[in-house]
Amino acid sequence: MDLLAYSFMQRALLAGVIVAVMCPLIGMFIVIKRQSLLGDGLGHIAFAGVTGASLLNWYPPLGAAGLTVAAAVGIELIRRRQNQYTDMILALFFYAGLALAVIFSTITKMPSTGLLNFLFGSILTVSKADIISIGVVALVVIGIISRIYSRLLLTSFDEEVAVTAGVNVGRINMLFSILTALVIVMGMTVVGILLISALMIVPVATAHLWRKGFKTTMALAVAYSLISVVGGLLIAFFGDIAPGGTIVMTAIALYAITFISSLLYK
């Protein structure tokens, strides 16, 4: 309990808990849609947004949010016309974002420390302003998902059935893409741009091992995500190692434990 005496740990835990809840909520639908690479692709776009904002002397997270949302809209618009090539479209944006990030960071001569903070997370340096931003995004994401939940669920499982049921599939998919972009930008301060996709996918994959219904699986995914973030943060604090990596490795360890337990149970 001594670590709670430190204000930076209080802020880190609060930010981590918020992100830990948000990531599986989005990740559940990403897995159902079979778009697990979406997080990685948008993450690299966010990196380009950070370096581009630095080039223009803007607030980096704002640049990341703007470019990532724009890319999410672009991916969805192109996907509608070439739905059978979704992986290829994601790859194009993935490489474009990475290339732009390299170019922008070279031009601005951005310090390596700043780049590493965005790439691998800097949860221990989260400020009150960051927590407010993360909280606002979380409220927006929860509000929109709760409003479109049934339509998003139907669209994720089968778009043709959703169209037959009168769902505006295009609008739902566009909203979901934008929400995904916002969650990625929100979570980059916790585990970093390169690892945020793992926090969206790994807890969901672990929860799926229980073979339960959708809502139960979502609740389990959130629980695994919370354990990963809090546990990883504690390990990082006492072991004096990078929090982003320990959070993701804790999530992967939970997957391995659950997988082995399921085999033994059978």
Side-chain angles (χ1 to χ4, degrees), residues 19 22 33 69 77 107 110 124 134 164 167 194 201 204 229:
V19 173
M22 289 297 98
K33 287 172 170 287
V69 168
L77 291 175
I107 294 174
M110 195 172 180
L124 298 180
I134 292 172
T164 304
V167 176
L194 294 182
I201 303 302
V204 175
V229 170

Side-chain angles (χ1 to χ4, degrees), residues 154 159-168:
L154 182 58
E159 291 190 1
E160 293 182 2
V161 173
V163 171
T164 304
V167 176
N168 190 332

Side-chain angles (χ1 to χ4, degrees), residues 26-85:
I26 293 293
M28 280 292 297
F29 297 102
I30 288 179
V31 170
I32 293 174
K33 287 172 170 287
R34 297 183 179 180
Q35 295 179 3
S36 296
L37 289 177
L38 181 62
D40 282 325
L42 291 178
H44 284 75
I45 296 293
F47 188 34
V50 166
T51 53
S54 179
L55 178 63
L56 297 173
N57 291 321
W58 293 354
Y59 181 52
L62 183 62
L67 189 59
T68 308
V69 168
V73 172
I75 290 173
E76 178 57 29
L77 291 175
I78 297 174
R79 190 187 70 84
R80 292 180 188 179
R81 300 179 65 88
Q82 295 182 305
N83 192 31
Q84 67 273 32
Y85 300 115

Side-chain angles (χ1 to χ4, degrees), residues 176-189:
F176 178 73
S177 296
I178 293 172
L179 292 179
T180 303
L182 291 175
V183 170
I184 287 172
V185 174
M186 177 183 68
M188 70 182 184
T189 56

Side-chain angles (χ1 to χ4, degrees), residues 91-104:
L92 290 174
F93 278 85
F94 178 99
Y95 297 131
L98 192 57
L100 285 174
V102 172
I103 292 171
F104 291 155

Side-chain angles (χ1 to χ4, degrees), residues 8-260:
F8 71 89
M9 281 300 297
Q10 295 172 6
R11 293 193 296 271
L13 283 170
L14 181 56
V17 166
I18 296 173
V19 173
V21 172
M22 289 297 98
C23 285
L25 292 183
I26 293 293
M28 280 292 297
F29 297 102
I30 288 179
V31 170
I32 293 174
K33 287 172 170 287
R34 297 183 179 180
Q35 295 179 3
S36 296
L37 289 177
L38 181 62
D40 282 325
L42 291 178
H44 284 75
I45 296 293
F47 188 34
V50 166
T51 53
S54 179
L55 178 63
L56 297 173
N57 291 321
W58 293 354
Y59 181 52
L62 183 62
L67 189 59
T68 308
V69 168
V73 172
I75 290 173
E76 178 57 29
L77 291 175
I78 297 174
R79 190 187 70 84
R80 292 180 188 179
R81 300 179 65 88
Q82 295 182 305
N83 192 31
Q84 67 273 32
Y85 300 115
T86 300
D87 290 342
M88 181 185 70
I89 295 167
L90 288 175
L92 290 174
F93 278 85
F94 178 99
Y95 297 131
L98 192 57
L100 285 174
V102 172
I103 292 171
F104 291 155
S105 61
T106 303
I107 294 174
T108 58
K109 293 180 171 51
M110 195 172 180
S112 58
T113 303
L115 289 174
L116 290 175
N117 285 341
F118 287 111
L119 284 173
F120 301 108
S122 56
I123 189 172
L124 298 180
T125 61
V126 170
S127 64
K128 290 182 179 180
D130 292 329
I131 292 177
I132 292 173
S133 300
I134 292 172
V136 170
V137 172
L139 290 175
V140 171
V141 171
I142 290 175
I144 295 178
I145 286 183
S146 61
R147 186 173 180 82
I148 66 172
Y149 174 79
S150 58
R151 289 171 288 171
L152 177 59
L153 184 60
L154 182 58
T155 301
S156 300
F157 277 110
D158 196 319
E159 291 190 1
E160 293 182 2
V161 173
V163 171
T164 304
V167 176
N168 190 332
V169 172
R171 181 183 299 174
I172 295 298
N173 282 334
M174 183 64 73
L175 275 173
F176 178 73
S177 296
I178 293 172
L179 292 179
T180 303
L182 291 175
V183 170
I184 287 172
V185 174
M186 177 183 68
M188 70 182 184
T189 56
V190 176
V191 293
I193 292 170
L194 294 182
L195 299 175
I196 184 61
S197 182
L199 197 57
M200 300 172 76
I201 303 302
V202 177
V204 175
T206 309
H208 270 283
L209 294 173
W210 290 83
R211 300 183 182 277
K212 300 293 183 180
F214 184 85
K215 289 185 177 180
T216 302
T217 301
M218 180 178 286
L220 287 169
V222 170
Y224 276 119
S225 182
L226 285 169
I227 295 171
S228 300
V229 170
V230 176
L233 192 55
L234 293 176
I235 294 171
F237 178 81
F238 291 109
D240 193 23
I241 49 181
T246 55
I247 289 171
V248 174
M249 285 308 300
T250 301
I252 293 175
L254 289 173
Y255 177 87
I257 292 170
T258 305
F259 180 74
I260 293 172

